[in-house]
Amino acid sequence: MILLVISDLHIDTGKKLGTFGWKAKAFMSTLDKVIEHYGVDQVILNGDIFDLYKYSYNEIAEVNAKIIDYFNQKGFIQLRGNHDIWVPHTHDHFYIKNSEGKTIHIEHGHKADFLNGTRIGRFISVTMYLFLKWLVRFRWVERKFYSAVDYFDDVNRIPRKYNTIKYLMYALKLLKKYDMVILGHTHKLESHKVYYLNSKKIYLNCGTCSLGRFQAVVVDTESFDFETIKIPRKSEFDVSQLPIFKKKKGN
Ligand SMILES: [Mn+2]
């Protein structure tokens, strides 16, 4: 089975503080081309599909009805991230075991954080964000907040404090149990092959599809071959140029 994993789209209302940065039609057609190119059987939306920190799901759904229908019609599996933990029909994680008994575990990855992953931490952050949601109606407060907590960098507005080593450590913990782990959340596309506990293990991070970018990982669940995909922003990119893994014989 060929899996395509994407995450961190942060689909919003496209108004204030827009993070998705895609026209729905362009995004869907790019995704369709990638699916066709790799012969993808199942797409997994690995969390932070929507950005519910500043808008309600209904506000977002109203503007993005087409793309939400598209996700549902195509049968994409939707996993919960910290920004869309309350969205209906989402799952905590995805798990698959191949014919050789090798296992793949996919989750968003925010459980590695104190603020997102623990009960008390979530209470603090939800309270904080409810307050922030009210505060950002004042533009200057919003600017002050982001410069004070250093949340986004000036150009890409990626949370600066994301320490990818932390998520690598978290992935290693999961790799005690699974053969391959795929996380998102960090907005940083990564792939690591390690020999660990006497076997080959793989940690992948599917990066982000926010701010008009398209990053993903594609995995063959039988052969464990994978590719990381990065499509340049705002260009007429020929998807057929993307590297494709060699499929094993008889697969
Ligand atoms: Mn996240």
Side-chain angles (χ1 to χ4, degrees):
M1 186 188 233
I2 308 292
L3 296 180
L4 178 77
V5 189
I6 60 173
S7 76
D8 297 83
L9 289 70
H10 292 272
I11 294 173
D12 48 29
T13 61
K15 291 173 195 160
K16 234 177 177 184
L17 286 172
T19 34
F20 183 40
W22 277 93
K23 293 243 187 304
K25 215 174 152 189
F27 184 74
M28 292 185 284
S29 104
T30 301
L31 194 47
D32 282 338
K33 281 180 207 158
V34 171
I35 290 168
E36 203 196 327
H37 182 64
Y38 287 98
V40 171
D41 301 299
Q42 180 67 61
V43 174
I44 295 172
L45 303 172
N46 189 16
D48 287 2
I49 307 159
F50 305 105
D51 206 311
L52 303 182
Y53 277 6
K54 294 179 203 80
Y55 302 99
S56 72
Y57 180 73
N58 288 340
E59 283 173 304
I60 291 173
E62 205 177 304
V63 182
N64 298 286
K66 269 187 193 152
I67 200 160
I68 291 171
D69 279 352
Y70 166 83
F71 290 161
N72 292 330
Q73 273 167 20
K74 298 249 171 173
F76 293 176
I77 291 170
Q78 307 189 29
L79 306 181
R80 283 187 276 274
N82 49 307
H83 285 258
D84 46 19
I85 214 148
W86 309 279
V87 174
H89 315 300
T90 53
H91 308 269
D92 187 55
H93 66 273
F94 175 84
Y95 167 85
I96 192 169
K97 190 190 242 182
N98 72 12
S99 63
E100 288 170 28
K102 285 179 135 193
T103 55
I104 300 175
H105 171 89
I106 304 174
E107 67 168 69
H108 182 63
H110 58 283
K111 285 179 188 159
D113 304 346
F114 167 72
L115 280 178
N116 294 312
T118 63
R119 198 176 273 246
I120 179 77
R122 273 217 68 81
F123 176 75
I124 294 169
S125 66
V126 166
T127 310
M128 251 169 48
Y129 273 97
L130 282 175
F131 183 55
L132 176 66
K133 209 166 162 177
W134 175 79
L135 269 182
V136 290
R137 63 183 72 195
F138 309 109
R139 189 88 189 143
W140 67 271
V141 176
E142 178 191 316
R143 273 202 303 269
K144 275 267 178 286
F145 175 82
Y146 286 115
S147 63
V149 300
D150 215 9
Y151 194 60
F152 294 119
D153 74 31
D154 296 334
V155 184
N156 294 312
R157 292 172 64 199
I158 293 168
R160 269 187 198 169
K161 284 172 187 164
Y162 281 172
N163 175 353
T164 56
I165 291 291
K166 184 166 87 181
Y167 302 97
L168 178 62
M169 298 305 284
Y170 180 69
L172 283 172
K173 213 164 78 185
L174 293 167
L175 284 171
K176 283 182 184 171
K177 203 169 158 192
Y178 309 104
D179 298 297
M180 181 189 283
V181 165
I182 307 173
L183 306 178
H185 187 53
T186 65
H187 294 209
K188 183 114 178 67
L189 190 66
E190 286 182 81
S191 66
H192 302 273
K193 276 184 183 173
V194 288
Y195 283 92
Y196 184 47
L197 305 171
N198 295 323
S199 57
K200 278 187 203 171
K201 305 272 186 175
I202 298 170
Y203 161 51
L204 304 173
N205 194 298
C206 56
T208 180
C209 290
S210 64
L211 302 169
R213 290 169 290 193
F214 189 97
Q215 299 173 0
V217 298
V218 59
V219 174
D220 183 332
T221 60
E222 277 304 307
S223 66
F224 266 45
D225 288 328
F226 64 87
E227 287 290 346
T228 54
I229 301 170
K230 211 170 189 172
I231 294 179
R233 210 186 324 189
K234 285 177 188 161
S235 60
E236 283 300 312
F237 183 73
D238 182 3
V239 171
S240 67
Q241 287 174 9
L242 289 171
I244 197 157
F245 42 67
K246 286 188 200 106
K247 287 186 185 176
K248 276 184 185 167
K249 274 179 197 163
N251 207 9

